[in-house]
């Protein structure tokens, strides 16, 4: 059974862990900045896209694409396709119930919120909004990254062909989601290039610009002084994947203590001194500072905290950009988060 969306909403900030019309003009600029067009090629059709609920055949180029969950709309936009409808963002969002990176791409594609080309936003307060999705008359529904259940997949399939999750429970890697969506939209080559460019951007912003990152180890997790446990992200979670992509090795502690199969696991605060790494990459609740964590009787015993290696995300939007990583959000967040890694690394090396 897939993880409910409310659990993943909370897991973005993970103090709450105990708990994302058509095609754009064919002449749109390549989001990978190669100078080539992103228009789908006639040779692409039909195309089969595999997912956990089977194989979906897309018979011809979709003209009205709807997306659900996080990530999927971002990837479609990055490939030059404006969804006719997409989920409103309910965490880490801006005043448009969207994100800054989505809004910038919508403007670039001539579909800003002040135009009649803007997507319809689906209300996700009660889960998937089947009626609203049906009302935009999609010819393809995309949920490659989602917690879509098989029952939900069947209900959506009664509206239009559906690209289901590549991996259950919001664990589809953004690279796989990009490939799946690129195939479905007839933009496979563009998707492949987009993945390669995004990975290179992250690596260059990380160890490429800061070779010292490769000499340290890191853990991604959440620290909330109101809780008596640490939430540690597993190797299959986007935050740990982000560390690896940036060239910062994930500490052996993660894989050795349950982080191989699970996207997160809990660790007692009383054993915080055992959470061994040089850096600890975390969200903190509003009003809590790194100094508060260092002074905490239990969380202050985390080895990385004692070394000065606590790396704190600065906003909910930054948390969302990495936890629901994609080719639009990652470039947006790099110049915001990498200085924090550099500062923490310098403190650790001086300690």
């Amino acid at each position: 059974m897939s993880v409910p969306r409310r659990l993943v909403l909370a897991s973005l900030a993970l103090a709450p862990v105990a708990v994302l019309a058509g095609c754009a003009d064919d002449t749109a600029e390549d989001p990978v900045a190669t100078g080539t067009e992103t228009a789908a090629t006639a040779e692409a059709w039909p195309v089969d896209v595999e997912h956990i609920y089977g194989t979906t055949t897309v018979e011809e180029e979709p003209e009205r694409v709807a997306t659900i969950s996080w990530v999927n709309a971002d990837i479609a936009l990055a490939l030059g396709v404006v969804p006719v409808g997409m989920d409103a963002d309910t965490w880490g969002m801006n005043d448009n119930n969207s994100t800054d990176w989505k809004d910038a791409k919508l403007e670039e594609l001539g579909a800003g919120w002040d135009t009649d080309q803007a997507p319809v936003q689906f209300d996700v307060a009660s889960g998937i909004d089947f009626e609203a999705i049906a009302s935009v008359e999609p010819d393809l529904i995309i949920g490659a990254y989602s917690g879509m259940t098989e029952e939900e997949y069947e209900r959506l399939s009664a509206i239009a062909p559906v690209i289901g999750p590549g991996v259950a429970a919001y664990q589809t890697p953004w690279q796989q989601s990009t490939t799946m969506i690129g195939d479905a939209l007839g933009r496979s080559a563009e998707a492949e290039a987009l993945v390669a460019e995004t990975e290179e951007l992250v690596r260059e912003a990380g160890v490429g610009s800061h070779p010292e990152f490769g000499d340290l180890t890191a853990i991604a997790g959440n620290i909330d002084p109101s809780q008596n446990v640490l939430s540690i992200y597993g190797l299959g979670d986007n935050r740990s994947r982000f560390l690896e992509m940036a060239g910062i090795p994930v500490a052996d502690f993660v894989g050795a203590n349950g982080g191989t199969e699970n996207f997160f696991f809990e660790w007692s605060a009383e054993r915080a001194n055992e959470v061994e790494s040089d850096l600890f990459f975390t969200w903190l609740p509003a009003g809590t500072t790194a100094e508060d964590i260092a002074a905490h009787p239990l969380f202050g015993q985390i080895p990385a905290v004692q070394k000065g290696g606590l790396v704190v995300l600065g906003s909910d939007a930054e948390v969302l950009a990495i936890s629901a990583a994609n080719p639009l959000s990652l470039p947006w967040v790099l110049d915001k988060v990498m200085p924090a890694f550099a500062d923490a690394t310098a403190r650790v090396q001086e300690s």
Side-chain angles (χ1 to χ4, degrees):
M1 180 177 293
S2 63
V3 175
R5 182 185 173 98
R6 64 180 182 275
L7 175 59
V8 177
L9 266 173
S11 77
L12 292 172
L14 216 56
V17 105
V19 204
L20 192 199
C23 300
D25 187 341
D26 286 350
T27 61
E29 292 183 4
D30 186 349
V32 191
T34 61
T36 60
E37 292 186 351
T38 60
T41 57
E43 295 79 11
W45 319 108
V47 63
D48 291 335
V49 181
E50 296 183 0
H51 48 80
I52 62 172
Y53 299 129
T55 300
T56 296
T57 299
V58 184
E59 298 288 352
E60 57 187 6
E61 181 175 2
E63 296 183 353
R64 298 183 62 80
V65 175
T67 66
I68 66 165
S69 188
W70 301 282
V71 176
N72 303 297
D74 302 57
I75 292 172
L77 288 167
L79 292 170
V81 173
V82 178
V84 291
M86 63 188 190
D87 283 359
D89 289 302
T90 57
W91 199 91
M93 67 287 193
N94 58 26
D95 291 342
N96 296 319
N97 292 322
S98 178
T99 60
D100 291 350
W101 53 90
K102 272 205 291 282
D103 288 0
K105 193 65 181 182
L106 284 167
E107 289 288 345
E108 179 185 327
L109 295 173
W113 296 112
D114 59 347
T115 73
D116 58 6
Q117 301 301 311
V120 171
Q121 289 181 298
F122 306 136
D123 182 353
V124 297
S126 299
I128 296 176
D129 193 341
F130 296 96
E131 291 185 4
I133 292 170
S135 73
V136 300
E137 300 180 344
D139 51 17
L140 181 67
I141 301 169
I142 298 176
Y145 175 89
S146 69
M148 184 192 306
T149 66
E150 189 164 11
E151 178 184 359
E152 289 168 338
Y153 171 77
E154 296 296 340
R155 287 187 65 184
L156 289 169
S157 295
I159 300 171
V162 179
I163 306 302
V167 179
Y170 300 90
Q171 294 188 76
T172 311
W174 68 264
Q175 295 95 327
Q176 182 180 351
S177 296
T178 302
T179 299
M180 293 170 66
I181 294 170
D183 288 347
L185 299 177
R187 290 163 168 76
S188 298
E190 290 86 346
E192 181 179 352
L194 189 59
V195 167
E197 181 186 87
T198 305
E199 289 180 332
E200 179 57 27
L201 280 173
V202 176
R203 183 166 184 81
E204 180 54 35
V207 72
S209 299
H210 303 278
E212 65 275 17
F213 286 0
D215 298 329
L216 304 180
T217 61
I219 290 172
N222 275 303
I223 304 174
D224 182 350
S226 71
Q227 305 295 317
N228 198 40
V229 295
L230 284 166
S231 295
I232 307 294
Y233 291 108
L235 300 178
D237 182 82
N238 281 333
R239 280 141 287 210
S240 293
R241 291 170 180 156
F242 177 79
L243 294 172
E244 294 283 11
M245 194 170 19
I248 307 170
V250 174
D252 291 342
F253 171 87
V254 176
N257 289 281
T260 302
E261 299 297 330
N262 301 315
F263 83 86
F264 85 98
F265 61 95
E266 293 184 338
W267 191 263
S268 171
E270 283 79 7
R271 299 175 61 191
N273 63 308
E274 300 175 29
V275 184
E276 184 62 53
S277 68
D278 297 307
L279 303 175
F280 196 101
F281 179 39
T282 187
W283 164 93
L284 293 179
T288 301
T289 67
E291 291 73 21
D292 294 333
I293 300 304
H296 193 279
L298 297 177
F299 295 134
Q301 300 304 308
I302 297 171
V305 173
Q306 294 184 324
K307 298 174 188 177
L310 189 64
V311 181
V312 180
L313 283 161
S315 70
D316 290 349
E318 291 175 22
V319 176
L320 180 64
I322 293 175
S323 59
N326 63 75
L328 287 186
S329 70
L330 289 172
W332 178 87
V333 80
L334 291 176
D335 64 353
K336 299 169 178 61
V337 70
M338 284 306 173
F341 276 101
D343 290 347
T345 297
R347 292 192 298 268
V348 169
Q349 292 180 330
E350 291 171 359
S351 65

